[in-house]
Amino acid sequence: MPTENERKYVLSDPAAVLALWDRSDWSEIRQGYLPGDGRIRRQTRDGVAADTFTCKIPAAGRLIEIETALAEPRDFDDLWPLTDRRIHKLRRTQTDRHGLHWDIDLLLDADGACYFAMAECEMPEAMDAPPQILPALASFIAYAVPRDRQGEFVNSRLADPGYAASLAF
């Protein structure tokens, strides 16, 4: 099972970050948290939706992430009413020259305006930080989230725009 190891970066100027790539390179995500430790996500790009169920569990000093595809769209649709802490966001995914996976997320409020922007770099378990920031994002890094504050910047908490606005960095 994969160990989640990522570094988070708060981004400035969401409109400029969105403009870095063609709009068709961004997917739309609807994500909600189920009672317990589960989350469901519907990611849509070019009119095609993919649904997943994810559970993250701390065990033996690491965070294990278990993710599986939901085969039937009705599974997502039936579970959605059971969720709380819902997020609507745009996501751009890119692999850097070191083979590391970056997700750039623009969190949207009920009116579709971006209220928070963040990038996450997923790394191998033994790596502490990426060798370099994704070059397109370097000038937009407002805050490199230290490991001891990562829990403050998880999507389940950032789903609340008021909470996101209250973060100090």
Side-chain angles (χ1 to χ4, degrees), residues 14-28 44-46 90-94 104 106 136-137:
V17 171
L18 180 62
L20 288 172
W21 295 280
D22 187 84
R23 181 60 181 89
S24 64
D25 290 336
W26 293 82
S27 58
E28 183 175 352
T44 306
R45 183 160 179 211
D46 298 327
L90 298 178
R91 171 169 283 173
R92 169 73 163 98
T93 299
Q94 185 155 336
I104 300 98
L106 305 179
L137 297 179

Side-chain angles (χ1 to χ4, degrees), residues 9-12 115-118 140-146 149 152-153 158 163-169:
Y9 301 89
V10 178
L11 303 174
S12 64
Y115 67 87
F116 198 80
M118 186 168 61
F140 297 103
I141 303 296
Y143 182 63
V145 179
R149 292 194 65 197
E152 297 173 56
F153 293 84
L158 295 172
Y163 171 82
S166 75
L167 286 169
F169 47 85

Side-chain angles (χ1 to χ4, degrees), residues 11 18 50 69 72 74 112 120-121 123 134 138 141 145 160:
L11 303 174
L18 180 62
E72 297 292 328
R74 76 179 197 154
E120 298 176 350
C121 180
M123 305 171 298
L134 191 63
I141 303 296
V145 179
D160 176 1

Side-chain angles (χ1 to χ4, degrees), residues 32-40 53-58 66 85:
Y33 294 84
L34 294 161
D37 296 320
R39 148 190 112 200
I40 58 170
F53 171 83
T54 303
C55 186
K56 297 180 182 182
I57 303 170
I66 303 164
R85 298 171 292 152

Side-chain angles (χ1 to χ4, degrees), residues 86-141:
R86 295 174 177 168
I87 289 182
H88 180 206
K89 61 186 172 181
L90 298 178
R91 171 169 283 173
R92 169 73 163 98
T93 299
Q94 185 155 336
T95 302
D96 70 15
R97 68 185 187 94
H98 304 285
L100 300 177
H101 178 96
W102 289 79
D103 287 327
I104 300 98
D105 289 339
L106 305 179
L107 282 61
L108 307 175
D109 65 18
D111 298 321
C114 181
Y115 67 87
F116 198 80
M118 186 168 61
E120 298 176 350
C121 180
E122 296 181 18
M123 305 171 298
E125 186 173 353
M127 187 177 282
D128 183 56
Q132 75 178 89
I133 300 298
L134 191 63
L137 297 179
S139 65
F140 297 103
I141 303 296

